[in-house]
Amino acid sequence: MPADLELFDNATFSQSLNGQEQPWTVFRQALEHARLVLDQRFLDGHDINELVAARTAVIDQLLEQAWQHYHLEGHGTAVALIAVGGYGRGELHPHSDIDLLILLQDEPAAPLADVISQFVTFLWDLGLEIGHSVRTLAQCREEAAADLSVITNLLESRLVRGDQTLFKQLIDAIGPLHMWSSRDFFLGKCDEQKNRHERHNDTEYNLEPDVKSSPGGLRDLQTIMWIARRRFGMQTLASLEAPGFLTGGEYQLLARSRAFLWRVRYALHMLAGRSEDRLLLEYQAKVAELFGFDSDDAKSNIEGFMQQYYRTVMGISELGDLIRQVFEEQIVRDSSHQPPQVINERFRIRDGYLEHIHPYVFSKTPSAILEVFVLMAQHPELKGVRSETIRLLRDHRHLIDDNFRQDPRNTGLFVELFSCAEGVHMNLRRMNRYGILGRYLPEFGRIVGQMQHDLFHIYTVDAHSLNLVKHLRKLRHPDFAEKFALAGAIIARLPRPEVLYMTGLYHDIAKGRGGDHSELGAEDAHAFAVRHQLPAEDRRLMVWLVRNHLIMSITAQRKDLSDPDEIHAFATQVGDQMRLDYLYVLTVADINATNPKLWNSWRAQLLRQLYSETRRALRRGLANPLEREELIETRQAAALSLLCSDGACNTAVQAIWSHLGDDYFLRHSAGDIAWHTAAMLEHGDSEEPLVLVRESNQRGFAGGTQIFTYAPNRQDFFAATTAALAQLNLSVHEARITTSSSQFTIDSYIVLEADGDRIGDDPERIHTIQQHLSDTLRHPERYPDVIQRHIPRQLKHFTFAPVVNIHNDAQRPFTVVEVTAPDRPGLLARIGKVFMDFSLSLVNAKIITQGERIEDVFFITDSNGQPLSDPELCQQLQEALISQLSPGQTP
């Protein structure tokens, strides 16, 4: 490229360097000047291809100057300075590594080795991120033959300065005739890419994607070029525009996509002031603004930009699949000369791949577009679709119009896919990747790449929906029987699981439109069911499930499941056992498909408990609900039987129970009641606090860890306990507080480790918890200060004003406090302190963390055990909670 004198004037630089005692000053000034010029050109919208090439040219010239300055030639052995890796490709961003190979004919003598060391140190002192190696030709040959990453790096070698003959010897030595045949290299790079994709959850749609390494990122493009260079000698992306490889349109799409990712990467390096390839939350708003998303709605700007990013990398993945398959057909696949297996007049199987028979298959029979995916599901032994068939599919996507969508042949094929024994999720995903699914279902097309800017949803809406179908399918397999035993048993007996899969595809279809996405989605689901001629019963079930897909999760996490009235209300909403079965399985899959970190033993237990109690209510009959008194009597009888079998005295048990209210027996299982009672009997009249820890076994389902405390009542116990649990790095998921008429407090907390794991049977950990809580409850007036742990990086970027709603329960004598606020360490302890300051008693609490936010519900009374009746007091409480929970507020 011609000299860019504004960027770097080599002659002027040489003059400045002459006689300079501190040459690094001149080099640094040149580097800083080039950075400023290139950054301004980036902001001015210059072609990104020119910018990365220009930075490479500047580095080339500076390295040549440094090479001359240190007189690295003429030491008795041939030596060459070679650019490798990204620098060798000529793709340098503001803070890209400068990958160098100093190649020697023979081992260097001491003087040359010393000069090389000075040269490399000088480059580091300039602030360049140097990745360097010093090797002889023989060493390069040996290491390249043994290591795929080394041969890959050397493939992109480019001579910067030094011995041309030595450089040519290197290129010859690493050729495919001597090492890494085209086949071995291709297979190795495919395995490498597969492993890399798995490290990034095998999806293009991560919340904070890596522009370089995530699926569909720059590394995928580089992998294509490495294979093309190794097998076909192609040196540039443009060289792939050739018969049998890429069409002109496909090349243009890849070139535009690479330019987009280069611009994103350049922006990240510029904003971070360092090498940063992750689109972290803290950069997304600024990058979005640089790309023209600059409205007053920052959240909308981020989501709009990220949708553009996701759609770009999806396009790269789609074309990448096509190109890799072309490579496989030409490099790996052995010609078996076996005749193809004809499936029908349109398709056949050749070498394990589905192939069209004639080039007019889609133009003459448009329904064959959907037939491809049904055949792939019906033939799970197939490795994939042949590259030419994929290309033909892409070229005929325009045939999918309203007439296509209304054609009974096509609607029948699409419904048939959901009934296949295998491959449902895989082929829905394949349809999405090939751009078919969003064309056939335009409402689905609107959510492709649609980001939800929060920590709760870590995938885009389309990726989440397809992931949900994947989880539903996984529930059928024995490998998941232990983790999802109940869901697996239920889905195995569902009469029409295909309705569940279709519901999974549609449950979030209306996200991003405004309004209630469940109601809007139910309308779309109804239209889908009518168009696809689903039986009336299936249509009603699918619409009901989409409309109500959130109610089981909300009820399990926000309602008091010990209250028979709450169970009856939920059972009435569900209506029958079949709906309950479908809804439970859908809810389990939905939570797991939203964010793997959301599913923990306590959420699992809550859902199982709600399912079990609702099934019992449905069997009993909605017209014959279980009365509270009957439930209390049943639990007391069961608990007493357990206690008496262990030798407890009936009179002593009844004496303790006489001091406990009805709510205690409603909120605890018979097993927990027996456990608590036995502990209290053994503890006697001691006023020392009692702390017990064991795995929760609510209604026979393993869940979180239960911490039971028993001590003389103090108003500051909840604040003290939650602060102590926070110091122990435990997350509280439920709190049940009971004060006996003998003025002892009987508290039960369900906790998990901060990372969501159960405490388990670790005796040392259990002892630490018991000791710390006992010390705290012995002197609650000294309760620990609200902890000041570091707020996790991601949480810092989701701040919003807390919302506090206070109202009295219509059925029971409690005041309900609903809190929505940004999550942060020690938050529950802050709330407990506010309750203590207002002399309020906590009766029950449901603790819910949804990504970056908490949605907690507290049931409280005043110091006399009555609900709050003073509106002014409620307003003061609301203001105090908002003040304490607002971002940036210190305790």
Side-chain angles (χ1 to χ4, degrees), residues 781-800:
E781 70 281 358
R782 305 179 200 162
Y783 83 92
D785 292 335
V786 176
I787 58 171
Q788 294 296 305
R789 288 205 309 271
H790 175 68
I791 298 176
R793 174 185 60 81
Q794 290 184 328
L795 290 181
K796 293 179 181 179
H797 302 283
F798 293 97
T799 59
F800 56 90

Side-chain angles (χ1 to χ4, degrees), residues 86-145:
Y87 179 37
R89 291 192 303 272
E91 300 173 4
L92 288 186
H93 291 263
H95 296 280
S96 295
D97 289 348
I98 313 297
D99 294 324
L100 296 172
L101 166 64
I102 299 175
L103 181 64
L104 303 162
Q105 186 72 57
D106 303 301
E107 287 286 351
L112 177 56
D114 185 55
V115 173
I116 291 173
S117 177
Q118 292 176 37
F119 171 73
V120 172
T121 301
F122 177 73
L123 298 182
W124 276 108
D125 288 344
L126 293 181
L128 295 174
E129 293 293 329
I130 299 297
H132 79 284
S133 59
V134 181
R135 295 190 180 110
T136 64
L137 182 62
Q139 289 170 337
C140 282
R141 185 186 299 114
E142 181 181 351
E143 294 193 31

